[in-house]
Amino acid sequence: MISDITIGQYFPGDSVIHKMDARVKTILVMAVIVSFFLCKNFLSLLLSAIAVTAIVAISKTPFKTILKSLKPLSIIIAFTAVLNLFYGDGEALVTLGRLTITADGIFTAIFIAVRIVLLVIIGSLLTYTTTPTDLTDAIERLMKPLKIFRKDIPHTIAMTMTIAIRFIPTLVEEIEKIMMAQKSRGADLDSGSIFHRAKALVPVIIPLFISSFRRANDLAYAMECRCYRGGVGRTKMKVVKVQKRDYIAMLLVAAYFALIFLLNSLMAGVI
């Protein structure tokens, strides 16, 4: 399960999605995420699913990679869906004590589960198709208005976020090494009750924290040795420009939003 965590990883490619301006890509991803919450019925949600599938196909991201991004969150998705089963209105189909399952509850559970899946996929695609350097530059440029408070705020926030995302795969690899080391010493991490497994993770968490702090300290020393002093006065090696493909992507997302609003108005009152 740990090895299935792919968030923060970058998969090199030559697709149109890879070549897009990171600033435009970030904004459009945020817009698409907002669109999932604007869906009011299954028809508009189906449109969102088709749009996300098309984006995945254009990005040429392997289907196995998408499934791996969903696997670590499968328990959360299932739990959320089951929880929403009991929040529907209408005639009860199944009664479990004080809890009732209705047709409306089933529809709501499916709706929420699909929405979460789409959120995970589109969010993962941003890191799959954007290098950490480009993502840092994009976030920094998008946060330029914050310079009115302090000049180095955009760069500091962007650098912090990117380092956090960048080190997720490293921490995952570190957890695997620690777990293998503990198992070789006779630790039982895979059997027993939930409480037993949680207790068995203590010998994994403590070395992980120590390793993480040591790695952060080494990174700080490395940045100081390279005379890193923040973003004030720093120039960019690449001068990014919004190109034709970025404008086309904006128009497509705008048309996608228009279709969602149209479907919501046409299907008003229908789940």
Side-chain angles (χ1 to χ4, degrees), residues 63-177:
F63 187 67
K64 289 183 179 179
T65 303
I66 299 298
L67 291 179
K68 286 182 70 175
S69 68
L70 293 171
K71 191 175 179 181
L73 297 174
S74 57
I75 297 177
I76 297 176
I77 295 172
F79 177 77
T80 305
V82 171
L83 195 63
N84 280 277
L85 281 174
F86 306 105
Y87 284 91
D89 298 324
E91 184 179 353
L93 301 178
V94 179
T95 302
L96 301 172
R98 295 184 178 181
L99 302 176
T100 59
I101 299 177
T102 63
D104 182 56
I106 295 174
F107 291 146
T108 303
I110 297 173
F111 197 92
I112 295 298
V114 173
R115 179 182 284 171
I116 295 175
V117 169
L118 295 178
L119 283 169
V120 174
I121 293 175
I122 199 66
S124 300
L125 277 178
L126 180 60
T127 58
Y128 291 167
T129 60
T130 313
T131 63
T133 303
D134 291 341
L135 193 58
T136 302
D137 290 341
I139 295 174
E140 182 179 352
R141 284 183 166 93
L142 291 174
M143 290 186 174
K144 272 188 176 180
L146 295 179
K147 284 187 175 182
I148 59 174
F149 301 105
R150 188 174 169 181
K151 288 187 177 181
D152 62 342
I153 283 182
H155 182 81
T156 302
I157 295 176
M159 180 63 70
T160 303
M161 291 175 62
T162 307
I163 289 176
I165 295 174
R166 163 61 185 84
F167 275 94
I168 290 176
T170 306
L171 291 177
V172 169
E173 184 180 352
E174 193 75 23
I175 292 174
E176 287 184 329
K177 289 181 180 179

Side-chain angles (χ1 to χ4, degrees), residues 33-53:
I33 288 175
V34 170
S35 73
F36 298 153
F37 294 95
L38 296 177
C39 295
K40 303 298 181 182
N41 51 70
F42 277 106
L43 199 56
S44 58
L45 190 66
L46 176 62
L47 174 63
S48 297
I50 293 173
V52 171
T53 304

Side-chain angles (χ1 to χ4, degrees), residues 191-254:
S191 61
S193 63
I194 296 178
F195 296 103
H196 175 76
R197 293 185 184 184
K199 187 177 180 180
L201 286 176
V202 174
V204 176
I205 294 174
I206 294 176
L208 178 64
F209 268 96
I210 295 174
S211 174
S212 299
F213 283 120
R214 185 183 296 120
R215 194 180 299 276
N217 194 43
D218 292 342
L219 178 61
Y221 277 128
M223 294 173 75
E224 287 182 2
C225 290
R226 288 167 174 79
C227 300
Y228 175 79
R229 293 293 182 271
V232 179
R234 291 174 64 91
T235 58
K236 304 294 182 183
M237 185 176 69
K238 294 181 181 179
V239 179
V240 293
K241 294 181 179 179
V242 179
Q243 300 184 16
K244 183 179 178 180
R245 56 174 169 263
D246 301 310
Y247 288 114
I248 293 174
M250 292 181 201
L251 290 175
L252 289 174
V253 172

